[in-house]
Amino acid sequence: FKQKTAYEIVDCDWSSDVCSSDLGDVWLSPHDRPLTREELCDAVAGADAIVCLLHDRIDDEVLDAAGPQLKVIANVAVGFNNVDTDAIAKRGTVWFTNTPAVLTEATADIAMALILMTTRRLGEGERVIRSETPWVWSMFYMLGTGIQGKTLGIVGLGLIGQATARRAKAFGMEIIYSGRRQADPAIEAELGARYVSFDELLETADVVSLHCPLNAETQHLIDADRLKQMRSDAFLINTTRGPVVDEQALVDALRAGEIAGAGLDVFEEEPKVNPGLLELENAVLIPHLGSATIETRTAMGVLAATNAVAVLNGEQPPTRSEEHTSELQSQSTISYA
Ligand code: DGY
């Protein structure tokens, strides 16, 4: 039978490896940019499988545009706040998959890099050199904050949170964490991590690193009140999703010296960045690079394509939700790493 798969990945040698020609037609986006809404709806029309990216909003409109033959949505990301899983679930015949685990190490590297960049003022230092601002080594020049013996507060000890904690531990940090559930005792023991309330974490951590998924519960989890709870010498790191932090409240807190600095890989309205952040020396800002290594993006693409192909072949996709998507009512059944 004739199938169509809409891939929104460009230049991917792996797509031809994973997708054998007997799968039917494969439409590959020719653009290395997000598709417009119209392009997305046109591309998915008649597709049996959609392999989509984190900026593609997959909702009723897109599912309707695809048509009733649609069998699987394979998101090339671990986070899936771009996907209306209820809209998928109510169709009853569409699988949903994401790409957990394969981007854990790359994203934790970026979280650790941001911890070092913010505490040691590396962005600021680089701007001095690049702007040819006169400088000279002196005892008190551009002093940062050492992290050895300091406390890292991990919000959400999933795979990425754990991998970040592992790195921070190697740098001599103590680990506390909060989240919906206490971690496995073996993980706590390995990381020397202590489960605390969210209040205690905010009030005591020297560095707060966010690793929870974005959903209705975590939207603006870090707002003006939460920022006030943090220590004035503490740093906030966000490598999960921008809307977990109220960006304007963060700008206000950084300006007022309520916290010492912030390292952000993600923004509330990507690719826009709150102009207030751009003026702040104590904000380190990078463009959603968490998973941006050749190896990791390849692994993510291959996994998403493998998920889609499995469903088209009538098999269970490797990183499927626990139950068939028709029974998927709770996002907690999908792995978040
Ligand atoms: C994800 O997979 O959720 C990452 O943010 C991609 O970079």
Side-chain angles (χ1 to χ4, degrees):
F1 58 104
K2 189 82 173 155
Q3 297 185 107
K4 176 185 170 192
T5 306
Y7 282 91
E8 200 197 331
I9 311 288
V10 282
D11 276 347
C12 42
D13 294 342
W14 48 264
S15 69
S16 50
D17 294 346
V18 178
C19 314
S20 57
S21 54
D22 57 8
L23 273 176
D25 297 339
V26 175
W27 180 85
L28 200 59
S29 170
H31 310 294
D32 192 10
R33 60 155 171 81
L35 295 178
T36 63
R37 195 75 185 150
E38 202 185 346
E39 287 170 338
L40 179 61
C41 288
D42 284 351
V44 301
D48 296 273
I50 300 174
V51 179
C52 56
L53 302 181
L54 57 80
H55 43 56
D56 298 321
R57 191 159 39 83
I58 305 295
D59 55 12
D60 273 319
E61 187 188 9
V62 171
L63 297 170
D64 287 343
Q69 75 300 324
L70 181 67
K71 297 179 184 63
V72 56
I73 303 281
N75 206 33
V76 189
V78 63
F80 51 89
N81 53 291
N82 58 310
V83 176
D84 181 345
T85 50
D86 289 338
I88 295 177
K90 87 180 174 221
R91 315 243 151 189
T93 52
V94 180
W95 287 85
F96 172 68
T97 66
N98 64 341
T99 59
V102 291
L103 48 89
T104 303
E105 303 302 328
T107 309
D109 285 346
I110 289 292
M112 195 64 224
L114 285 174
I115 293 171
L116 291 167
M117 286 183 77
T118 49
T119 55
R120 298 299 302 275
R121 303 172 63 177
L122 299 185
E124 208 179 328
E126 223 225 359
R127 283 189 288 279
V128 166
I129 301 290
R130 287 192 181 276
S131 61
E132 298 183 28
T133 304
W135 65 280
V136 63
W137 189 98
S138 78
M139 282 296 276
F140 303 106
Y141 179 59
M142 210 177 275
L143 300 185
T145 303
I147 57 173
Q148 289 70 34
K150 301 286 172 62
T151 300
L152 173 64
I154 299 267
V155 180
L157 198 66
L159 292 183
I160 298 171
Q162 289 168 35
T164 303
R166 209 165 282 126
R167 283 156 177 73
K169 192 181 174 217
F171 277 83
M173 297 189 83
E174 304 291 330
I175 312 298
I176 58 175
Y177 72 99
S178 69
R180 277 210 184 153
R181 280 177 294 275
Q182 187 157 1
D184 194 300
I187 290 166
E188 285 193 336
E190 183 214 333
L191 302 171
R194 193 164 57 86
Y195 188 49
V196 298
S197 68
F198 190 38
D199 286 333
E200 181 177 342
L201 183 138
L202 291 174
E203 284 157 17
T204 59
D206 297 282
V207 179
V208 173
S209 190
L210 303 174
H211 299 282
C212 52
L214 170 63
N215 53 39
E217 209 183 313
T218 59
Q219 167 106 17
H220 284 191
L221 178 71
I222 302 294
D223 59 10
D225 291 338
R226 293 307 195 179
L227 287 160
K228 281 190 179 55
Q229 267 182 283
M230 288 175 63
R231 297 161 45 146
S232 59
D233 57 356
F235 298 85
L236 178 72
I237 306 298
N238 189 7
T239 52
T240 176
R241 286 288 183 269
V244 174
V245 176
D246 178 341
E247 222 164 73
Q248 186 54 48
L250 177 62
V251 169
D252 296 341
L254 288 167
R255 274 195 189 131
E258 283 170 12
I259 65 169
L264 307 177
D265 183 37
V266 287
F267 301 90
E268 254 196 283
E269 288 178 44
E270 288 178 19
K272 282 191 223 149
V273 176
N274 185 311
L277 285 171
L278 303 177
E279 294 161 11
L280 289 162
E281 285 292 1
N282 56 353
V284 175
L285 312 170
I286 55 172
H288 204 147
L289 299 178
S291 63
T293 68
I294 294 164
E295 296 81 357
T296 301
R297 287 288 164 81
T298 302
M300 290 165 71
V302 168
L303 179 53
T306 304
N307 279 324
V309 170
V311 173
L312 295 182
N313 286 332
E315 294 155 13
Q316 295 227 329
T319 54
R320 61 188 185 275
S321 58
E322 293 296 306
E323 301 295 330
H324 188 278
T325 313
S326 60
E327 288 150 42
L328 169 68
Q329 294 304 339
S330 154
Q331 295 199 344
S332 63
T333 56
I334 300 178
S335 336
Y336 188 86

